[in-house]
Amino acid sequence: GARGAAWWPTEVGRLLCRHAERLELLELELAGRLRGAGGDPARPTLRIAVNADSLGTWFMRALATFAAAGAALVDVVLEDQDHSAEALRRGEVLAAVTSRASPVQGCRSLPLGKLRYLATASPAFVARHFPSGIGAASLAQAPSLRFNRKDALQDRWIRRVAGRAVDTPHHWRPSTAAVGEAARLGSGWGMNPEPLVRPLIAAGELVELVPGRPLDTPLHWQHPRLSTDTLDRLTQAVAAAAKTLR
């Protein structure tokens, strides 16, 4: 090929890479058993994809439970829930939290529940930008807060509330905490996970733009059909932590 050209694996190549990673995990588990209780087996690293809002709310409990067993390490890749299934399909991760219900080839899909988002802003921001209420015209002028270029939560909520798509001005705040803090400080309005903003709403520091109009995002845990003891333990930890979801 040309000097400096990028090389991308074919579909078959991606499947082979993913299969090789699972076989390596099986081999490490077997080696640990053969060494016995007195051995010092190498710990595998599981590369998984998780959306930032899950990581910032409920998923850390799953990681802590899994880490307590000490059997493996975890490499967490941040990926939007609407795109993480593609990372799984490409073989870039072994498992993923995703909004996709249908299983990626070679995977099982476990429903986790729904992560609820609330459209929130500071009282001063609402008074300044929405004096006559929430509608397509006012939303087109009021700055919104977005996590990254893949973040479509605001667009989905706007279509539900305004009945059509609206092109909004927006600020970029690339972390879950930063989006919530920017809303609290009056920089814009954003879609924030309910567990994080409910205390701020109770304290009067944030208000819902349209009370009673949340946006629920279903989440699923997709993991390989060719399972291992280590992956099974991680799946159990994820399922237990997800019980806090709706």
Side-chain angles (χ1 to χ4, degrees), residues 45-87:
T45 297
L46 308 183
R47 187 175 174 87
I48 63 174
V50 182
N51 60 306
D53 291 334
S54 287
L55 193 64
T57 51
W58 64 275
F59 199 82
M60 289 295 288
R61 288 187 293 275
L63 294 176
T65 299
F66 180 72
L73 305 173
V74 181
D75 179 3
V76 177
V77 177
L78 284 181
E79 184 56 271
D80 184 89
Q81 65 271 8
D82 293 334
H83 299 268
S84 53
E86 282 303 303

Side-chain angles (χ1 to χ4, degrees), residues 134-135 139 156-164 210 213:
I134 308 296
L139 287 167
R156 289 168 54 196
W157 185 83
I158 286 172
R159 283 193 294 269
R160 290 188 179 185
V161 171
R164 64 179 179 86
V210 182
R213 295 298 296 272

Side-chain angles (χ1 to χ4, degrees), residues 98-130:
T98 173
S99 59
R100 173 173 165 170
S102 58
V104 171
Q105 183 179 4
C107 293
R108 292 188 175 93
S109 182
L110 173 68
L112 297 175
K114 298 176 181 179
L115 183 57
R116 172 159 289 184
Y117 290 86
L118 303 179
T120 60
S122 70
F125 183 90
V126 172
R128 182 167 66 253
H129 291 277
F130 303 110

Side-chain angles (χ1 to χ4, degrees), residues 6-241:
W7 291 90
W8 299 97
T10 64
E11 184 67 23
V12 172
R14 285 192 291 264
L15 291 173
L16 287 173
C17 289
R18 194 164 63 193
H19 183 67
E21 288 179 343
R22 294 171 189 172
L23 286 178
E24 182 182 13
L25 183 55
L26 284 168
E27 289 171 356
L28 287 171
E29 289 184 355
L30 178 59
R33 293 192 185 98
L34 292 176
R35 287 188 182 95
D40 185 22
R43 287 182 292 177
T45 297
L46 308 183
R47 187 175 174 87
I48 63 174
V50 182
N51 60 306
D53 291 334
S54 287
L55 193 64
T57 51
W58 64 275
F59 199 82
M60 289 295 288
R61 288 187 293 275
L63 294 176
T65 299
F66 180 72
L73 305 173
V74 181
D75 179 3
V76 177
V77 177
L78 284 181
E79 184 56 271
D80 184 89
Q81 65 271 8
D82 293 334
H83 299 268
S84 53
E86 282 303 303
L88 184 60
R89 185 188 65 80
R90 291 192 299 266
E92 297 171 2
V93 295
L94 280 172
V97 174
T98 173
S99 59
R100 173 173 165 170
S102 58
V104 171
Q105 183 179 4
C107 293
R108 292 188 175 93
S109 182
L110 173 68
L112 297 175
K114 298 176 181 179
L115 183 57
R116 172 159 289 184
Y117 290 86
L118 303 179
T120 60
S122 70
F125 183 90
V126 172
R128 182 167 66 253
H129 291 277
F130 303 110
S132 301
I134 308 296
S138 56
L139 287 167
Q141 299 298 319
S144 65
L145 300 162
R146 293 180 183 250
F147 179 80
N148 60 22
R149 267 67 178 173
K150 297 177 181 178
D151 184 4
L153 292 172
Q154 288 73 218
D155 295 334
R156 289 168 54 196
W157 185 83
I158 286 172
R159 283 193 294 269
R160 290 188 179 185
V161 171
R164 64 179 179 86
V166 176
D167 187 16
T168 66
H170 38 262
H171 300 294
W172 306 103
R173 298 291 185 269
S175 81
T176 298
V179 171
E181 181 67 359
R184 188 185 72 83
L185 294 174
S187 297
W189 70 272
M191 302 301 299
N192 293 289
E194 183 181 41
L196 296 184
V197 297
R198 185 57 72 185
L200 296 174
I201 292 173
E205 295 186 66
L206 287 174
V207 294
E208 285 189 72
L209 297 193
V210 182
R213 295 298 296 272
L215 181 68
D216 289 339
T217 300
L219 297 176
H220 303 265
W221 174 247
Q222 296 218 20
H223 58 102
R225 287 186 177 276
L226 176 60
S227 193
T228 68
D229 291 344
T230 304
L231 280 170
D232 285 345
R233 284 194 292 271
L234 178 57
T235 295
Q236 291 165 7
V238 171

